[in-house]
Amino acid sequence: MTTSWLASALDSPFGLHNLPYGVFSTADRPERRRIGVAVGDFVLDAGAAARAVGQPSVLLDADTLNPLLAAGRPTWTQVRAALTAWLSEEQHRAALSPHLYPVDEVALHLPFEVADYVDFYASEHHATNLGKIFRPGTEPLTPNWKHLPIGYHGRAGTIVNSGTEIVRPHGQRKAPSEPLPSFGPSRRLDIEAEVAFVIGAGSELGKPVALADFREHVFGVCLLNDWSARDLQAWEYVPLGPFLGKSFATSLSPWVVPLDALEHARVSPPARDVEPLPYLDDRDGEPWGLDLALTVRLNGHVISRPPFASMYWTAAQQLAHLTANGASLRPGDLYASGTVSGPEVESRGALIELTWNGENPVKLPDGTTRTFLEDGDTVTITATAPGPDGTLISFGEVTGRIVP
């Protein structure tokens, strides 16, 4: 594994094997957004670094990742190789050192302008749990679930950066015991711990993206919390699906981990007991299950550890299905896995599952309990993946605090 002249990068989950991209600003120039790369305890100003070593780049000098996303895989590979060389070769230390900023002294922003947003429902454990909660005594999975990755189109304009306060949404809600709906703040506000995939190179309208072309279009991976107002959702989603119960806010982590950094995290997906149609059949192709370990904290207390390797549908299958009807891709498109849940209670990625729809409240160290989120609660999701030679890759965190 390549080593770095930057000491804090040597044993860091933000080492040279990771090098995630983001957008940052500094206290002295808060209005100036710059592309940064996380390395050790620092953020490297990528555009300034390129100029300092005599390789100026209009892509790295941008104030958002979108131009780099649009450049395509050959360019992504070249840029990553250049960054690795600059941070590993001693000859670049003097030129790059002035462009390293302590990560705790910069402000991180939404790393790219989101074009379209799609959220899937790819965890069999999550879908089974919700089926048991809402349709007791019947088959928990709907008849289509193992034939296609179910998803919905969300609202790109309400994707917010990690740390943004989440205002409790208002809408119509109707409890089973109430004769009529009422309008007011959600009483059953929830989280969804998810993994998101960032599209780089677009595709032509009318031409589906095949499973084998996944890596040509996906630039990298983020963490995502698809906040959910379960009471609003339950009343409105029949027959068209999620709407106001989801569209008020979706939080995204500030670091985009390059897909190329995750080669050592790739695993085979769970065994499928229903044969997929040919366009979703990945049995003879590259495995795109990912061994990511998520951790969910509520007010600093760990309440869940969801395993991403257990997801039934892979990101490659989701992309193939997303475009199967000829829908086109654009740089900055974002699609998410849906709630990540494992087979154990402590690995469920949403409060509705953890508390079994409020029947079994989560107990916190301060003696309080939660069925759903209260004003003032802070939810933080982190994740790691295996890197080369026993190293870890960090995805940073996505966090948000509920306000009235």
Side-chain angles (χ1 to χ4, degrees), residues 281-301:
D281 190 349
D282 60 356
R283 287 173 293 186
D284 296 326
E286 291 186 280
W288 277 111
L290 290 172
D291 183 16
L292 278 54
L294 280 66
T295 301
V296 181
R297 290 177 173 85
L298 175 56
N299 299 335
H301 173 64

Side-chain angles (χ1 to χ4, degrees), residues 185-229:
S186 171
R187 297 175 290 207
R188 296 164 68 83
L189 187 56
D190 199 356
I191 64 166
E192 290 193 345
E194 305 193 23
V195 174
F197 297 83
V198 182
I199 294 295
S203 65
E204 186 177 340
L205 184 67
K207 292 189 176 180
V209 173
L211 283 171
D213 294 329
F214 170 73
R215 66 163 69 241
E216 298 304 312
H217 294 276
V218 172
F219 175 81
V221 184
C222 295
L223 300 179
L224 182 142
N225 186 348
D226 199 28
W227 306 92
S228 300

Side-chain angles (χ1 to χ4, degrees), residues 3-6 85-97:
T3 60
S4 175
W5 47 259
L6 182 64
W86 301 343
L87 288 163
S88 61
E89 296 171 3
E90 181 65 30
Q91 69 193 64
H92 298 303
R93 180 199 291 261
L96 264 60
S97 292

Side-chain angles (χ1 to χ4, degrees), residues 65-72 76 112-113 198-202 219-220 256 331-333:
L65 289 177
N66 290 72
L68 179 60
L69 299 181
W76 306 338
F112 58 94
E113 183 179 348
V198 182
I199 294 295
F219 175 81
V256 183
D333 279 356

Side-chain angles (χ1 to χ4, degrees), residues 31 59 67 93 98 105 163 179 190 214 239 269 375-376:
E31 78 290 348
L59 299 179
R93 180 199 291 261
E105 295 180 12
D190 199 356
F214 170 73
D375 292 345

Side-chain angles (χ1 to χ4, degrees), residues 120 147-151 209 211 279-280 313 315-327:
F120 282 96
H147 292 276
L148 57 87
I150 295 173
V209 173
L211 283 171
Y279 78 101
L280 294 172
W313 295 106
Q317 290 172 312
Q318 290 165 23
L319 185 63
H321 185 66
L322 191 162
T323 61
N325 65 347

Side-chain angles (χ1 to χ4, degrees), residues 262-350:
L262 297 176
E263 284 300 308
H264 295 270
R266 289 174 56 182
V267 293
S268 296
R272 281 70 175 260
D273 51 9
V274 172
E275 183 170 341
L277 291 172
Y279 78 101
L280 294 172
D281 190 349
D282 60 356
R283 287 173 293 186
D284 296 326
E286 291 186 280
W288 277 111
L290 290 172
D291 183 16
L292 278 54
L294 280 66
T295 301
V296 181
R297 290 177 173 85
L298 175 56
N299 299 335
H301 173 64
V302 175
I303 60 171
S304 178
R305 298 187 185 276
F308 192 72
S310 67
M311 300 297 276
Y312 187 90
W313 295 106
T314 70
Q317 290 172 312
Q318 290 165 23
L319 185 63
H321 185 66
L322 191 162
T323 61
N325 65 347
S328 57
L329 301 174
R330 294 186 290 172
D333 279 356
L334 182 73
Y335 69 98
S337 62
T339 303
V340 182
S341 290
E344 297 84 18
V345 172
E346 60 272 17
S347 62
R348 296 170 180 171

